[in-house]
Structure formats: structure tokens, C-alpha cells
Amino acid sequence: MIIDPVTLIVALITVSTPVLLAAIGELVVEKAGVLNLGVEGMMIMGAVCGFITAHHTGSPALAFVAGMAGAVALALVFAVLTQILMANQVASGLALTLFGLGLAALLGVGYSGLPVPAIARPFPEALRDIPGLGPIVFSHSILVYVSIALVAAVWIVLTRTRIGLVLRAVGENHDAAHALGYKVVRIRIAAIMFGGACAGLGGAFLSVVRVQNWIEGMTAGAGWIALALVVFASWKPWRVLLGAWLFGGIAALQLRLQAAEIGVPVALLDASPYLVTIIVLVLISSDRRRAALNAPAGLGRVFHASS
Amino acid sequence: MIVLEKRAEPSRAWGAGGPILAVVLTMLAGGVMFAALGIDPVEAIRIIFWDPLFSERFAGYSRPQLLVKAGPLILIAIGLSMGFRAGIWNIGAEGQYIVGAICGAAFGLAFYPSENPLIFPGMVIAGVAGGVAWAMIPALLKVYARTNEILVSLLLVYVAEAMLASAATGWLRNPEGSGFPGSRNLARHPGTDNPELFAGTGMHWGVLAAFVAVIVAYVIMTRHLLGYQIRLAGQAPRAARFGGVNPARLVILCMGISGALAGAAGVFEVSGPAARISIDFNVGYGFTAIIVAFLGRLNPIGILLAGLLMALTFIGGELAQLMLGVPAPAIQAFQGMLLFFLLALDVLANYRVRIKRKVAA
């Protein structure tokens, strides 16, 4: 056996973290009734801002903050367009992705291959050296644990708190929420910014922790996979985690299969994470009852308070 | 207090004026971006928008390039615009473009070294078929499994890119290319070439196809039942269903048309300007065409003009790269900005801005 299951699981968790972060943010955005297709653009902005900051300051913490800030700035553009100027959300999201990819490439000119500081791991070596369990549970950087905690936090907030209830009300029926006196636009803008921060954090993790380099277009569709994961998860936080691990598992496995040279065409392996995402998406969507059950009723609708 | 009042009907003046104002605002914002990069903004804007057409030094080379670059953009955008009008979002034209090019090139290379004049038409048909087949995946999945066509068509772009890499390095690689990736040169081989039809104009079969597509799309959208159904389905999906429009048929038709045109654009490119299948054959026409479609207000004539303008930013961008050292991605950011301003100005077409005094309730 060439592929060691322990290192595979460790790689799976690392690979899935950027997608998980972006997807959990987008889940909150969609729960508020907004479809932001700009995840890819926000992620790559997070990646480039994080990488540049990490290189210059040597501080990963600052890098993550900068990654979030860059992506939030982009998310704000989307918020202004769709919430204040009432532009089409699909087109605005696409514009965000196209612009983000261009701007990130522009900012990152000359940064490719520059060194970034190593990331500290929160758990002591004694724990990490436990055979099997150690690497899988204790060997990751802090952001991996943060991302899983974030899933839990989003789940609690959405299902157990008043804020979550208001957010979902805005997403299900903005006119009713407006009539009850909730500030639909403000709540949605806040949700969009949260989604941007998560996508930016995911992007920064990708460039600063996982790849430790800046490569133009390095997100390579991770933002779109995050969008697919939200549908896959039927808008439920824990299922996003499951979906991210499934995707991460495929992505990590195909890299190892490529290295092992087992005779499967490289193109097929390269395409496998995307193909598996499509297949899973089809399986989920074709189940008529489950697919419609949890989708926010007001997703993508433009809100205009007439009075 | 500023309030927005919904117009009963979108304003025609703002519908036409919006894109023009958006271009002006983009130039201003782009100027700020260039200034931030330490480049003289006035000169940069002049080099991008004026020099490719009117400077004596560059116009000789640049003017024909305008049609070369606008051709695929217009062709793809025309197809996309029909779907967008109906609320069917084919975002993966880039993938259909790649698959069309691979299929067309494979057909042409299968008969190598024959110079039969029927090969080129065959390549076009193969490319169209490839584009349609690739677009049918999201279309059929949407119809039969209710899968989101935005995500599927987009994810298939990455699959197409993997196919392109395997074609360029493996099964379509030039056997006489001393192991370098990339296929045989299609543009320099009679029978598989897509030549310049009139010397010095940049006009090739793909540009001609784009012009024909503009005219046909215009007739369909304004005079044909299909155009009516597309517009109805986009504006009032429920009314369309009661009016006898079959949504499944519309999805397959719109995705099929956009896939066919994107695939055709791929063939014309691979047999002409790009000349061969290579790993980096696709340069993002499929994505830029989305901007072209919106900039042209999803209207065929508008798309024609928008395609030419977008081509100008490509050529001017290359020129600015050469002359001023403007980084290549700057032009992509510039194009993204244009789409932002355009979408922002849509508010003026759909809403009336009123200034009201706050009255105590």
C-alpha cells in the first residue's frame, strides 16, 4: 500500500479548510437571502492580501486579518451593488469574481515564490506524536480548529439564537421581516460582510498555510466548490463540514494517486474533484423533497421597501 | 432624504446612456488605479483607447486585431445573451469554447496531411457539436435533476481545462514537435486553416460568423416566437408557463445555442489566430464574453459594439503593457470595474431618484 491513511486524512483536513471556511460564510449569506457568486473572487483577494502581509510583517495573525479585510472590502462592493443599488445578484457576483481575480493578480505581481513565516501549531509535540490519532487531531495549525469551531458557532447562532432567527426570517420573506421592523438591508449587508471575511480567511489559509506561496489564480475554483457545498449541505452547517471533507478527501487522494502513477490518466485525476462535486450536486438536487426543504425562500430576490 | 422610486417601465434613455456613462466612469476609476501603480493615467488611457486605432505607429498592426479579438467575444456573448434573457445562466462558455476547439482540431488533425477543402467545414461542425455536447451536460442536469446550471457549467470549465492539458501534452501533441506540448500548426496547413479573408482587416471566418450571429439573433429576439418566449420566460416565468412556454425546452435550446456558438468560436480561434492546441490556448474569452453580454444590455446590436470596445481594451492593454509596463492583470481588473459600474448604473434605468423631505409620521 503506497497511500498511508493517516497522512491522507491529515492532508484531507488541510485541503478542505479553505473551502470549508468559504462555504460556511456563504451559507450565512444565503440564509439571509443573498446569493453571492463572488466567493472565488473574495477568496483570491484574501489569498493575495494575506500572502503579501505575511511576507512583509512576518506575522501570520496579521496576514489572516489582512486577508479578511481584503475580501470584506470586495464584499462591500457587492453589498452596495445588490442591497443599495438593487443590481442583479447573479451578475454582480460574477463581476466580483472577475474583478477579484484581476485585482488579486495585479496586487500579487512579483510576490510569487517569496518566503512566508512558518505557522505555529497550538498543540505540544508530545500530543502530535501519538501514533495515528496525534497527526490527525493535534497536528494542524490554529485556523483548522477555528474553522471547525466556526461551523459549530454558525450552527448555534442560526438555530438557537434570536439573531439567527431574524437572519433566517430576512432570508425567507424579506417583506414580512421588513413589516416586523427588521432592517432587511442592514442585516443582509452584515451577512455579506461576514461571508466575505470567511472567504478571505479561507483564501489566506490557502496561500499562507497550505501552499505557502502566491500563484496567480491559485484558488482554482475553490470558491465555486464552496458554493456547490452549500447546496450539497442543504443549507445545514454540519453538512458543510461533511461536504468539505468529502471534497478534501478526493482532492488529497487524487494528488497521491498521481504521485503513485497507477495508470489512471492525469487529466481525469485533475478533474476528479470537480467531477465528484458535480455528481454529488446532482444526487442532492434530484431528490425533490430534500433539495427544496431548506433553501431560503427569498434567495436571490431583490428587496425594495416601497414605503 | 434620497429615495428610489420604481419606474413602471425601465427608462430607455438610461438603458442606452448607462453603458456609455459606465465606460466614462471606468476610465476615471481606471485612471486612479493606474496612478496608484505609478503610471501616468492620462497616457495610459490614451494608449488603451486611442492609440490602437489612430496612432500612426500602432494602428497598422492594431486595427486588424480589433476584429480578431472582437470576433470570438461577440460570437460567445450573443449565445450567452439569449440564455441570460431567459434567466438561464450559462457561466461555463469558457469550457464549451475549449471543448469546441479540441473537437475541431481533433477532426482536422485526424485527416492530416490531407488538404481537402471539406475538412475545414467539418472542423467547424465538430467544434459546434463539441460545444453543444459540453453545454448539454448542465442543461440536461438542470432539466432532469434540477441541478443548478451556474455551478455545473462553471465546474465543467476546470474539467475542460484538464482535457485541454491532456490533449496538448498527449493525444493531440505534434508528433514532429520534438516532445514539446502543443498540436501541429493548423493555421499554416491548407485545409485546416482559417485564413484572413481580406488582407489587412483581421476578418476571418469566425468574425464573419459573429456578424451573422448578431443579425440572426436580432431577428430571433425581435421577430420570432422563440425570442418572445425567451423574453417572457425571463421577465415573468409563471406567466410564461401559463402561456404555453415549455421551460425545459427553453433551457435546452438556450444552453444549446450558447454552447454551439462558444464551440464555434473555439474552432475559429484554434484554426486561425491561436493556430494550435496548447496548454494555455484559452485566454478567458468565455468569461470576458459575460461582460460583453451585459455591457451590450443583452441586445445583439449592443453586444456588437460592446465586443469591439472590449477587444479594444485587450489590444490597448497589451500596448500599455509594452509601452508603460502596465501589468497584464490590470486590464482584467479594469474590465471587472466596467461591469461593476454598469450594474450600478442599472439602478437609474429601473428606478427614479427622488429627493424627499422627511415628514413626521
Side-chain angles (χ1 to χ4, degrees):
Chain A
M1 192 66 194
I2 325 154
I3 296 161
D4 171 30
V6 173
T7 56
L8 180 70
I9 294 173
V10 172
L12 171 164
I13 294 172
T14 314
V15 171
S16 64
T17 299
V19 188
L20 175 64
L21 281 164
I24 200 71
E26 178 67 14
L27 181 135
V28 171
V29 178
E30 292 193 13
K31 271 288 177 194
V34 180
L35 179 65
N36 184 354
L37 293 181
V39 182
E40 179 87 2
M42 299 189 297
M43 272 186 99
I44 195 108
M45 271 300 279
V48 75
C49 292
F51 188 83
I52 292 173
T53 312
H55 174 71
H56 285 300
T57 64
S59 155
L62 276 179
F64 296 139
V65 172
M68 285 197 279
V72 167
L74 211 55
L76 263 179
V77 176
F78 177 84
V80 169
L81 279 173
T82 58
Q83 300 308 309
I84 295 172
L85 300 175
M86 291 171 282
N88 178 313
Q89 291 180 7
V90 173
S92 305
L94 283 172
L96 205 65
T97 290
L98 294 174
F99 178 72
L101 287 171
L103 186 62
L106 182 62
L107 292 172
V109 169
Y111 278 95
S112 212
L114 294 180
V116 281
I119 304 298
R121 291 154 194 242
F123 291 104
E125 204 157 316
L127 280 175
R128 278 187 260 147
D129 285 346
I130 303 170
L133 198 68
I136 293 175
V137 181
F138 298 114
S139 73
H140 303 285
S141 71
I142 185 89
L143 221 50
V144 170
Y145 306 103
V146 168
S147 70
I148 294 169
L150 197 64
V151 175
V154 166
W155 174 70
I156 289 171
V157 169
L158 279 180
T159 58
R160 300 282 184 276
T161 68
R162 186 181 165 76
I163 299 170
L165 191 62
V166 172
L167 186 96
R168 284 187 291 142
V170 167
E172 295 295 335
N173 188 335
H174 50 221
D175 292 319
H178 176 68
L180 286 171
Y182 297 121
K183 307 282 186 199
V184 174
V185 171
R186 263 183 235 173
I187 291 165
R188 283 188 169 165
I189 290 177
I192 292 168
M193 287 172 65
F194 176 77
C198 290
L201 197 57
F205 179 88
L206 184 66
S207 64
V208 178
V209 182
R210 196 187 136 201
V211 184
Q212 300 187 334
N213 194 0
W214 161 251
I215 305 158
E216 204 183 310
M218 70 186 300
T219 45
W224 295 102
I225 286 172
L227 277 159
L229 280 187
V230 178
V231 180
F232 162 80
S234 316
W235 291 269
K236 288 181 178 161
W238 289 112
R239 289 215 196 138
V240 168
L241 183 63
L242 197 69
W245 280 349
L246 175 72
F247 162 78
I250 302 288
L253 185 64
Q254 67 95 1
L255 282 176
R256 274 160 184 73
L257 288 178
Q258 283 195 19
E261 292 181 359
I262 50 153
V264 181
V266 174
L268 190 63
L269 290 174
D270 273 338
S272 59
Y274 309 103
L275 286 173
V276 169
T277 306
I278 293 173
I279 291 166
V280 170
L281 211 52
V282 170
L283 292 178
I284 292 295
S285 324
S286 59
D287 186 344
R288 194 182 285 264
R289 279 161 303 145
R290 201 189 317 163
L293 206 59
N294 242 326
L299 189 61
R301 297 241 184 94
V302 173
F303 172 71
H304 178 230
S306 47
S307 54
Chain B
M1 193 178 127
I2 301 167
V3 276
L4 294 170
E5 254 181 32
K6 182 119 184 129
R7 289 179 200 265
E9 264 183 42
S11 151
R12 291 198 144 217
W14 274 115
I20 297 169
L21 187 57
V23 171
V24 174
L25 287 174
T26 310
M27 283 189 194
L28 292 176
V32 173
M33 179 177 79
F34 290 129
L37 290 169
I39 294 159
D40 180 6
V42 179
E43 206 186 345
I45 298 290
R46 198 201 72 220
I47 287 181
I48 293 172
F49 287 96
W50 183 265
D51 282 4
L53 295 179
F54 303 111
S55 114
E56 279 173 24
R57 259 180 82 194
F58 306 113
Y61 168 78
S62 295
R63 269 190 211 154
Q65 281 291 310
L66 194 66
L67 287 183
V68 170
K69 295 259 195 300
L73 287 175
I74 295 170
L75 201 55
I76 300 171
I78 288 283
L80 293 180
S81 70
M82 293 181 143
F84 289 178
R85 276 264 179 119
I88 298 157
W89 301 93
N90 176 9
I91 306 302
E94 185 82 358
Q96 293 138 27
Y97 172 84
I98 293 173
V99 173
I102 295 177
C103 291
F107 184 92
L109 290 171
F111 292 99
Y112 190 87
S114 163
E115 297 181 3
N116 192 316
L118 287 175
I119 290 178
F120 185 67
M123 285 168 68
V124 175
I125 292 168
V128 167
V132 170
W134 209 243
M136 275 306 114
I137 301 172
L140 294 176
L141 288 179
K142 183 181 174 69
V143 171
Y144 292 107
R146 284 173 302 283
T147 313
N148 183 316
E149 81 279 17
I150 300 176
L151 295 173
V152 175
S153 64
L154 196 288
L155 289 170
L156 282 172
V157 174
Y158 296 97
V159 179
E161 279 178 348
M163 272 170 59
L164 177 70
S166 90
T169 54
W171 50 283
L172 279 183
R173 195 177 61 190
N174 183 359
E176 290 150 28
S178 30
F180 284 107
S183 73
R184 284 182 198 277
N185 192 315
L186 293 160
R188 277 202 225 123
H189 179 258
T192 62
D193 63 331
N194 171 21
E196 204 176 23
L197 297 175
F198 307 102
T201 58
M203 185 86 169
H204 61 69
W205 286 111
V207 181
L208 200 65
F211 288 149
V212 173
V214 168
I215 297 166
V216 172
Y218 183 79
V219 174
I220 287 180
M221 291 311 285
T222 56
R223 298 279 180 272
H224 194 272
L225 180 65
L226 177 62
Y228 170 72
Q229 292 191 340
I230 286 173
R231 282 181 288 143
L232 188 63
Q235 283 169 6
R238 257 174 77 81
R241 217 163 303 155
F242 288 125
V245 178
N246 179 348
R249 189 177 147 258
L250 210 58
V251 168
I252 288 178
L253 216 57
C254 285
M255 293 291 279
I257 291 172
S258 52
L261 293 184
V267 181
F268 291 128
E269 197 67 17
V270 80
S271 55
R276 60 159 63 84
I277 288 285
S278 58
I279 294 175
D280 50 0
F281 156 76
N282 59 319
V283 292
Y285 282 141
F287 292 119
T288 313
I290 297 171
I291 304 181
V292 171
F294 279 109
L295 185 62
R297 298 240 156 230
L298 308 182
N299 170 314
I301 310 294
I303 287 171
L304 177 68
L305 299 173
L308 289 169
L309 180 72
M310 228 35 167
L312 184 62
T313 64
F314 269 122
I315 302 160
E318 280 172 15
L319 207 57
Q321 209 179 325
L322 197 73
M323 301 291 296
L324 300 175
V326 173
I331 214 67
Q332 199 190 343
F334 195 80
Q335 291 170 342
M337 263 192 253
L338 180 58
L339 191 48
F340 279 146
F341 281 115
L342 197 71
L343 291 166
L345 288 170
D346 261 356
V347 73
L348 297 173
N350 295 322
Y351 296 87
R352 198 171 275 128
V353 182
R354 284 277 164 85
I355 296 168
K356 274 190 184 164
R357 291 229 181 80
K358 249 193 181 162
V359 189

